[in-house]
Amino acid sequence: MKKLLGSLLLLGLTTAPVMAKNILDKLTVAPGFEISLFANDVENARQIAVSKKGIVYVGSRKAGNVYALIDHNSDGVADKKIVVAKGLNMPSGIAIKDGDLYVGEVHRIIRFKNIDTQLKDPKFDVVYDALPSERHHGWKFLRFAPTGELIIPVGVPCNICAEDERFGRIFALNVETKQIKTIAKGVRNTVGFDFHPATQALWFSDNGRDMMGDDIPPDELNRATQEGEHFGFPYVHAGAIIDPEFGEGKNIADYTSPALALAAHVAPLGIHFYNGKQFPASYKQQLFVAEHGSWNRSKKSGYKVGLATIEVGRVTKYTPFITGFMKDETTFGRPVAFAELGDGSLLVSDDYANVIYRVSYKKN
């Protein structure tokens, strides 16, 4: 079988399901859980959102598509894929509110109203179009706050550059009045955040700068405690390291330190507080983190799903949950983002393997 697969790879004849199954066989999930394929051949799958009807929507970055995945018989495997929209400008971020699908392009936010009822060639309206057009770190992650505002990040258009009020921010948009405000500053590039189910505190990942070596600065998992906090970029990294280009004269104590300093270059993207009922109680309101994996480190790092145990607003433990996306410097997959299905199972997108995984708990 391995010889046959190798021959097919050389000939470029492997099908998406064969390749997806080959990747799935390499993954290891925490004891008591099992991982399966919810969907394959979902090109460049990024953020996921699930409607009240259980339709799974998926954004993409390089593909420029938004997908709808339907599991008609509720067996944990999507049996239909519809391309809802194509040719968009890096529509990585998506969110659903009141039956409407919001999509974050680089330069604007668009909305497909009552999306579940018009999956074939739906029309959209433009909600907000005053975002910067720079594509470097310009792709989005979207989520609605408990207050009803749409949270929108804008990454910096550089590796390291001077602070600019248009970039390196997390914004909150009132989709009705179009009023927008800054809720966090000094954020180099977050492509993942969530609100704690009990405290409503905003937690977000942040990708640290490059070109300071293999092991610094750390990537970050942050907790916002007040509106307008500054998390350090470009002056201070991970609450501990003064930037060699922009940090002169800056005081580390003036900036908010991360809730957890991750390893350098692991590229944390989506994060998700588990709030379902299928997993054991110890997982309730604990934080999953998708480490997308390094791109320019001499030896690769990341390439896993981690679990941050949180007690009274503090990370007390960080452990691997899904591993095997990379082995011996060979990449098989790159996890991106999460969503829960109605049965409490956890979906994980992978923009490298072009699949959506489903993680479920095996009850005794």
Side-chain angles (χ1 to χ4, degrees):
M1 179 62 187
K2 289 184 178 180
K3 288 184 178 180
L4 175 61
L5 182 58
S7 299
L8 289 172
L9 280 167
L10 289 173
L11 293 171
L13 297 177
T14 49
T15 64
V18 170
M19 288 303 297
K21 181 62 167 60
N22 186 50
I23 293 161
L24 189 64
D25 288 345
K26 299 179 183 300
L27 301 181
T28 300
V29 69
F33 292 86
E34 59 184 4
I35 186 167
S36 58
L37 285 178
F38 177 77
N40 59 58
D41 195 24
V42 184
E43 185 183 358
N44 199 228
R46 298 283 291 191
Q47 193 176 358
I48 322 168
V50 182
S51 73
K52 288 185 178 179
K53 288 186 177 181
I55 298 176
V56 176
Y57 294 92
V58 187
S60 67
R61 184 165 67 98
K62 296 176 183 178
N65 299 331
V66 176
Y67 311 93
L69 305 174
I70 305 174
D71 176 11
H72 287 102
N73 59 0
S74 301
D75 66 349
V77 179
D79 43 57
K80 187 172 185 178
K81 179 185 75 174
I82 299 172
V83 178
V84 173
K86 58 185 177 179
L88 299 179
N89 187 8
M90 290 186 172
S92 180
I94 61 173
I96 295 175
K97 187 175 189 294
D98 299 329
D100 299 338
L101 177 67
Y102 292 76
V103 177
E105 295 186 85
V106 169
H107 62 301
R108 65 182 182 178
I109 307 298
I110 61 177
R111 173 176 54 196
F112 298 86
K113 291 187 176 180
N114 301 312
I115 186 62
D116 283 355
T117 65
Q118 53 160 353
L119 293 175
K120 295 183 178 179
D121 193 29
K123 306 303 179 186
F124 65 80
D125 63 293
V126 177
V127 174
Y128 189 78
D129 63 358
L131 297 172
S133 60
E134 284 81 352
R135 287 165 66 87
H136 190 136
H137 295 152
W139 52 93
K140 304 290 184 282
F141 183 97
L142 301 182
R143 194 178 296 278
F144 278 92
T147 58
E149 296 168 304
L150 182 62
I151 309 303
I152 308 168
V154 178
V156 297
C158 59
N159 172 37
I160 184 80
C161 51
E163 188 170 17
D164 184 322
E165 64 182 14
R166 299 172 299 163
F167 303 101
R169 302 285 196 266
I170 300 177
F171 298 100
L173 172 70
N174 184 313
V175 297
E176 302 303 327
T177 67
K178 316 303 182 186
Q179 295 297 307
I180 194 166
K181 63 182 179 181
T182 299
I183 59 174
K185 306 174 183 177
V187 182
R188 181 177 178 270
N189 184 39
T190 180
V191 204
F193 41 85
D194 200 3
F195 291 87
H196 190 281
T199 68
Q200 310 295 296
L202 173 65
W203 290 68
F204 64 92
S205 62
D206 194 12
N207 286 242
R209 66 160 292 182
D210 296 310
M211 310 309 173
M212 287 182 67
D214 274 359
D215 300 317
I216 59 171
D219 286 337
E220 302 175 16
L221 185 61
N222 292 291
R223 176 176 177 265
T225 58
Q226 58 185 343
E227 189 174 299
E229 270 180 285
H230 199 298
F231 290 84
F233 184 88
Y235 314 114
V236 173
H237 306 292
I241 300 171
I242 296 288
D243 188 80
E245 298 176 59
F246 292 90
E248 184 177 356
K250 300 298 182 181
N251 185 351
I252 288 175
D254 292 337
Y255 305 99
T256 301
S257 295
L260 178 66
L262 300 166
H265 310 301
V266 298
L269 300 190
I271 66 173
H272 175 76
F273 283 105
Y274 183 76
N275 206 32
K277 297 180 180 179
Q278 184 184 122
F279 292 6
S282 58
Y283 286 84
K284 190 78 169 182
Q285 299 184 1
Q286 302 307 306
L287 189 63
F288 288 98
V289 180
E291 294 190 10
H292 195 234
S294 60
W295 65 272
N296 65 344
R297 197 172 183 273
S298 62
K299 288 190 177 295
K300 292 179 179 179
S301 60
Y303 298 91
K304 71 173 183 283
V305 171
L307 179 69
T309 300
I310 296 173
E311 299 176 1
V312 197
R314 300 175 65 88
V315 179
T316 58
K317 185 168 58 173
Y318 187 64
T319 54
F321 185 75
I322 307 174
T323 57
F325 294 100
M326 183 273 295
K327 184 177 181 181
D328 298 330
E329 299 300 299
T330 299
T331 300
F332 305 109
R334 304 186 77 183
V336 177
F338 309 95
E340 288 177 32
L341 289 177
D343 65 356
S345 58
L346 184 70
L347 298 180
V348 185
S349 61
D350 183 331
D351 66 347
Y352 185 91
N354 300 321
V355 302
I356 308 291
Y357 308 102
R358 176 174 174 265
V359 178
S360 55
Y361 184 68
K362 298 181 293 184
K363 296 180 180 179
N364 295 327

